[in-house]
Amino acid sequence: MKPRVAAARALAELLRGKGSLSSALPVWQSKVAEADRALVQQLCYGTMRYYPKLNAYLGQLLDKPLRSKDSDITALLLLGLYQLEYTRIPDHAATGETVAVARVLKKPWATKLVNGVLRRFQRGADTLREALANDAEFNTSHPRWLLDAYTKAWPDAIDQIVTANNAHPPFTLRLDLNQCSRDDYLTQLKAEAVAARPCQYSDAGITLDEACNPTGLPGFNAGLLSVQDEAAQLAAPLLRLSPGLRVLDACAAPGGKTGHILQSQPGLSEVVALDLEERRLTRVAENLTRMQVNATTIAGDGTRPQDWWDGQVFDRILLDAPCSASGIVRRHSDIKLLRTPDDIARLAALQGELLDALWPTLAVGGLLLYATCSALPAENRDVISAFLARTTSASEDPIEAVWGHPQSNGRQLLPQQDGHDGFYYARLIKSGPA
């Protein structure tokens, strides 16, 4: 199968509301030659990164939207526009290859349409840009509701957020400092001609100038390093770990933070990695095995500890709560299409339920670290403020740090183009029975 065919079919599933790129893409990538898989990923994620802008173009170029049963042709048109606007593929090659896909999709009637739309774009791109000059979605390549939410929360940082969201994410690693110092590992990378720099806020973080297959890096298979954004690397140090503590990592998959907790403090009495689905825990177990650490894995619902909790309290809880992922749009560009305003209220309610349910499992004097990869206060500061207001045994243990923006509760990191993702942390301490 050719790369553009695989990309069109993966994007068509997304446009039909049948999943995300993370679910559709691996299926269709597997149907192309290994050498072409990176191109399929580039085409899919690039098209979604600029979906609002490309869709605005398409609205100008089509007399009327295509029928839902022809979402594969809509996806194909978006792919063609992405190649013409954002890649170095020669225009004639991008157009010709994209037109050819319509035949492979068994829709020869669409060849004339695809060819006409793409050639019309080539001839009139400047005119189209002028017509769309005052369209906020076109200019920012963000859905209007999300742009408005960012602007309301962070009016002085909106340009930074939009720029970071539309950029390729940095490739960041976390070292196991028990095995090697960061300076020594940077020296090893230099000897391998791999350009890298230390992260600004995480003592264990390294960012490579170019993404690569991490399995080829020194020490990866021995658990020396893990792929993890700098913002996520801040979780383990914020837990104030010490020997003998029992720790719960709720919503643990894929296990990066679980591994960091275990590597940060080998003397913990137990770490329990909880996640809703057994299949997700398989990934956790694989990552922990590679990192050469052990945890107790449990498939269970964090809102129903009565179904899985043994009654033994935890001294530390990391609640990396399900969220809109509005702080990591650059890593999951299909969020621009998949998320809706209604999701925010729904997720905030779930976050509150998780806090209420897990709080009784925390020991008196214990700490709960609440985290999300969201940049929206409705999922972060507001959730924690509401929880503190209704929970007399909970109080904030303020995070003193040089990173992020202090909030009325917790600290917010906003996505940086060449730095960390958007992330939120709040640390709570328990003073008595729930």
Side-chain angles (χ1 to χ4, degrees):
M1 182 178 289
K2 293 184 177 181
R4 287 170 183 80
V5 178
R9 287 180 166 162
L11 290 176
E13 289 188 25
L14 184 62
L15 294 176
R16 287 196 296 266
K18 293 189 175 181
S20 63
L21 283 182
S22 62
S23 61
L25 186 57
V27 174
W28 292 105
Q29 273 184 309
S30 68
K31 298 179 184 297
V32 302
E34 187 172 351
D36 291 329
R37 290 174 187 173
L39 176 58
V40 177
Q41 180 167 317
Q42 176 200 348
L43 291 172
C44 286
Y45 277 97
T47 300
M48 284 298 100
R49 181 172 291 116
Y50 296 106
Y51 173 80
K53 183 173 184 176
L54 299 174
N55 197 47
Y57 277 141
L58 199 54
Q60 296 286 311
L61 291 163
L62 288 174
D63 294 331
K64 58 181 180 180
L66 298 178
R67 296 170 295 181
S68 58
K69 71 175 185 176
D70 294 320
S71 58
D72 51 353
I73 302 302
T74 300
L76 190 56
L77 288 166
L78 292 167
L79 279 166
L81 291 171
Y82 168 71
Q83 293 170 80
L84 293 172
E85 183 81 333
Y86 291 107
T87 73
R88 296 179 180 178
I89 299 170
D91 288 359
H92 70 275
T95 300
E97 291 285 343
T98 304
V99 169
V101 174
R103 295 190 185 92
V104 180
L105 295 174
K106 299 182 179 180
K107 294 188 176 179
W109 61 264
T111 56
K112 186 178 291 186
L113 172 68
V114 174
N115 184 66
V117 166
L118 298 185
R119 291 194 181 282
R120 202 178 314 148
F121 175 76
Q122 292 173 58
R123 292 193 303 269
D126 289 341
T127 301
L128 289 170
R129 294 184 190 108
E130 186 176 332
L132 293 164
N134 295 320
D135 186 317
E137 291 195 4
F138 174 81
N139 289 326
T140 64
S141 210
H142 280 65
R144 187 58 191 250
W145 76 267
L146 183 57
L147 184 65
D148 288 346
Y150 286 139
T151 303
K152 181 179 178 181
W154 308 104
D156 297 332
I158 186 61
D159 290 343
Q160 171 193 329
I161 294 171
V162 165
T163 299
N165 284 355
N166 288 339
H168 288 275
F171 190 78
T172 302
L173 306 167
R174 174 181 55 77
L175 288 172
D176 177 4
L177 297 179
N178 295 312
Q179 297 188 51
C180 181
S181 74
R182 182 164 65 179
D183 287 345
D184 286 347
Y185 195 75
L186 285 169
T187 300
Q188 289 185 51
L189 290 180
K190 186 175 181 180
E192 298 273 345
V194 177
R197 63 186 186 275
C199 288
Q200 185 175 5
Y201 302 117
S202 169
D203 293 340
I206 289 174
T207 297
L208 273 57
D209 287 1
E210 295 184 9
C212 68
N213 183 342
T215 60
L217 294 172
F220 180 83
N221 293 324
L224 173 59
L225 64 151
S226 301
V227 179
Q228 189 177 49
D229 183 75
E230 182 183 19
Q233 295 182 32
L234 302 174
L238 288 173
L239 284 167
R240 293 181 175 168
L241 300 168
S242 59
L245 298 181
R246 187 173 193 242
V247 180
L248 170 66
D249 183 0
C251 312
K257 297 184 187 70
T258 312
H260 193 191
I261 288 169
L262 287 157
Q263 290 178 336
S264 296
Q265 180 46 259
L268 296 171
S269 68
E270 184 183 26
V271 173
V272 174
L274 175 75
D275 208 89
L276 187 60
E277 299 178 1
E278 187 70 50
R279 64 178 182 83
R280 290 168 59 84
L281 287 171
T282 300
R283 178 79 184 279
V284 173
E286 291 171 351
N287 281 327
L288 296 183
T289 298
R290 184 185 58 79
M291 286 185 260
Q292 302 180 29
V293 292
N294 296 296
T296 302
T297 58
I298 298 176
D301 186 342
T303 67
R304 293 183 55 82
Q306 65 269 25
D307 294 339
W308 52 265
W309 184 40
D310 62 3
Q312 184 180 350
V313 293
F314 298 99
D315 303 292
R316 300 288 187 269
I317 296 176
L318 170 61
L319 172 55
D320 190 358
C323 71
S324 65
S326 55
I328 56 170
V329 171
R330 62 188 180 182
R331 299 188 187 278
H332 301 278
S333 53
D334 52 355
I335 288 170
K336 294 179 178 181
L337 182 61
L338 294 175
R339 288 284 178 261
T340 69
D342 292 341
D343 290 331
I344 307 306
R346 176 181 60 81
L347 288 163
L350 174 59
Q351 292 152 5
E353 290 177 24
L354 285 164
L355 282 165
D356 290 339
L358 293 173
W359 192 250
T361 72
L362 182 66
V364 174
L367 298 176
L368 183 149
L369 183 65
Y370 176 86
T372 76
C373 54
S374 171
L376 301 180
E379 299 179 273
N380 297 332
R381 177 196 66 207
D382 297 351
V383 168
I384 293 300
S385 296
F387 177 73
L388 290 171
R390 66 177 178 266
T391 310
T392 57
S393 61
S395 58
E396 183 175 11
D397 184 19
I399 297 171
E400 301 295 335
V402 296
W403 48 261
H405 300 263
Q407 302 290 282
S408 55
N409 296 112
R411 296 185 77 89
Q412 178 73 58
L413 295 131
L414 297 178
Q416 295 181 338
Q417 183 174 358
D418 296 316
H420 55 67
D421 286 341
F423 230 84
Y424 173 85
Y425 288 107
R427 189 169 55 204
L428 309 179
I429 189 167
K430 189 171 185 178
S431 58

